Amino acid sequence: MPENPFENFTRIYDADELIDLAFKKGNSKSASIPSVANHIMKAKRKEVKKIQNVNNYILGQIKRIVQSVPDLDNLHPFYKELSHLLVDNDLLKKNLGKLNGLIPVFQRLLSELIRKINNSGHPNECAAFRRQYYARAASILKQQSKTLIFLEEARRQLKQIPTIDNSLPSIVVAGYPNVGKSSLVKNLSSANPEVCEYPFTTKSIIIGVYRDKTDTKLFQLIDTPGVLDRPMEKRNEIERQAILALRTISNIVLFMIDPTLTCGYSIENQLSLFHEVKENFIDIVDIPWLILINKVDLAREEELKFVKEKLGLKKEDYIEVVAVNNNQKELVDKIIEIINKSGLLALHFKDL
């Protein structure tokens, strides 16, 4: 499975940490000084080597950070939308630009102070110029404190983005909390989400991969707590924007309904949410959908009938399931049928 494109986004030290580490590097490697050199030549080489060590370390850190961030304009749409949602890609590029802009500043500073040291006539003066370089280098880095802090916080956010395998069809599971979405994802895939009896306890996107008997990956299931599990007016701006990211990877939507009262939401509310998800998500990207009527082992016949009649469901529009069961062959067969009809990647399906 491809890595999160921000997986290699390297840690950024704050200004004080970076200054401390850089100055330690100043004394880590001594200059190679010929034994015949006089005391002023020895002083010059020693002080030049120190500031070169510091400068090289700082520039190395800057280049390492900038190069560890992927090209934001050429990301897969899912990662582009989600990264923009989390940190604002324009701000990320702006702060990376500020950091990268320090490279010529430090190069000029190094050249200036090396020239002063080489033109110096006394060891004490050489040491004074080295201290001058240290002071100015520290000042430059401290002026970029906000930039360094922003980038480190951005890194922490972006490293948490889930990994999506773009080579597999993506099945998004929607529906109110507690209707059985996590149980279904767990039992159909390699995911092991926390299944809880209380709503709103799952905090991040859950992704699981369904494999056939030969361990071949056929599709991935995505549970999206906080995104497609409540009415639009109850979603905050972040949740609304997250829908944009999900649209870029969705190939099929499974909408799960609990016809019993055990989930804590009325059937009317669940049906209303389905219509809203269909209008604001499914129809916009024109993707196939399937209703999963869960907990049929607990539901009364009149409850099942009410759901089907209210939604005007045809037999091909729904499947009755018990999400906590491990055997979901009928559902898997239906998903594969939809994938094949939709022309999605369906390698190895003929072998099932």
Side-chain angles (χ1 to χ4, degrees), residues 303-318:
E303 291 173 327
L304 297 174
K305 184 178 178 181
F306 180 78
V307 169
K308 296 171 189 177
E309 290 181 349
K310 269 290 187 181
L311 287 175
L313 296 177
K314 296 175 288 186
K315 180 58 182 173
E316 60 267 25
D317 293 334
Y318 72 92

Side-chain angles (χ1 to χ4, degrees), residues 10 20 25 39 41 66 72-73 96 114 139 163 166 194 199 207 214 225 249 268 274 277 290 292-293 323 337 345:
T10 192
D20 184 56
K25 287 290 181 182
H39 71 290
M41 182 58 67
V66 173
L72 298 173
D73 293 325
L96 286 170
I114 286 178
S139 177
T163 295
N166 299 323
E194 176 186 358
I207 300 172
T214 67
I249 58 168
E268 289 83 357
F274 167 71
V277 170
L290 182 67
L292 303 186
I293 303 178
E337 178 187 333
L345 185 65

Side-chain angles (χ1 to χ4, degrees), residues 15-146:
D16 289 334
E17 288 176 308
L18 186 52
I19 291 166
D20 184 56
L21 290 168
F23 289 174
K24 286 179 180 177
K25 287 290 181 182
N27 295 317
S28 64
K29 293 181 181 179
S30 300
S32 177
I33 303 173
S35 58
V36 295
N38 59 37
H39 71 290
I40 184 61
M41 182 58 67
K42 290 180 179 178
K44 287 180 179 181
R45 290 205 177 186
K46 177 178 138 183
E47 303 301 354
V48 166
K49 184 62 177 178
K50 285 183 177 180
I51 65 174
Q52 285 176 331
N53 287 344
V54 173
N55 212 74
N56 289 342
Y57 180 79
I58 292 172
L59 294 189
Q61 290 294 309
I62 292 173
K63 292 175 182 177
R64 181 176 60 87
I65 293 165
V66 173
Q67 292 170 2
S68 71
V69 181
D71 183 351
L72 298 173
D73 293 325
N74 290 315
L75 291 175
H76 181 279
F78 173 76
Y79 293 111
K80 192 172 184 178
E81 291 283 358
L82 203 52
S83 61
H84 188 63
L85 165 64
L86 292 173
V87 303
D88 189 328
N89 288 343
D90 294 333
L91 280 178
L92 180 55
K93 286 190 279 190
K94 181 179 178 181
N95 281 276
L96 286 170
K98 285 182 180 179
L99 198 61
N100 198 48
L102 296 182
I103 292 176
V105 174
F106 276 100
Q107 288 172 333
R108 289 193 298 268
L109 178 61
L110 179 65
S111 297
E112 177 188 342
L113 270 299
I114 286 178
R115 186 173 61 252
K116 287 183 177 182
I117 290 173
N118 286 335
N119 291 334
S120 176
H122 194 280
N124 289 344
E125 192 176 27
C126 293
F129 285 134
R130 185 254 305 159
R131 289 193 294 272
Q132 182 181 338
Y133 167 87
Y134 279 16
R136 288 171 63 180
S139 177
I140 292 168
L141 291 174
K142 286 185 177 180
Q143 288 172 19
Q144 297 300 322
S145 288
K146 290 183 179 179

Side-chain angles (χ1 to χ4, degrees), residues 280-335:
N280 293 288
F281 190 88
I282 295 172
D283 291 347
I284 288 177
V285 287
D286 190 24
I287 55 176
W289 54 270
L290 182 67
I291 294 287
L292 303 186
I293 303 178
N294 189 28
K295 304 181 184 178
V296 294
D297 55 332
L298 302 176
R300 300 191 305 272
E301 186 59 37
E302 56 267 29
E303 291 173 327
L304 297 174
K305 184 178 178 181
F306 180 78
V307 169
K308 296 171 189 177
E309 290 181 349
K310 269 290 187 181
L311 287 175
L313 296 177
K314 296 175 288 186
K315 180 58 182 173
E316 60 267 25
D317 293 334
Y318 72 92
I319 285 184
E320 297 180 357
V321 298
V322 179
V324 295
N325 288 350
N326 291 324
N327 185 1
Q328 300 291 345
K329 184 179 185 306
E330 182 184 2
L331 175 56
V332 170
D333 289 344
K334 185 66 175 180
I335 290 173

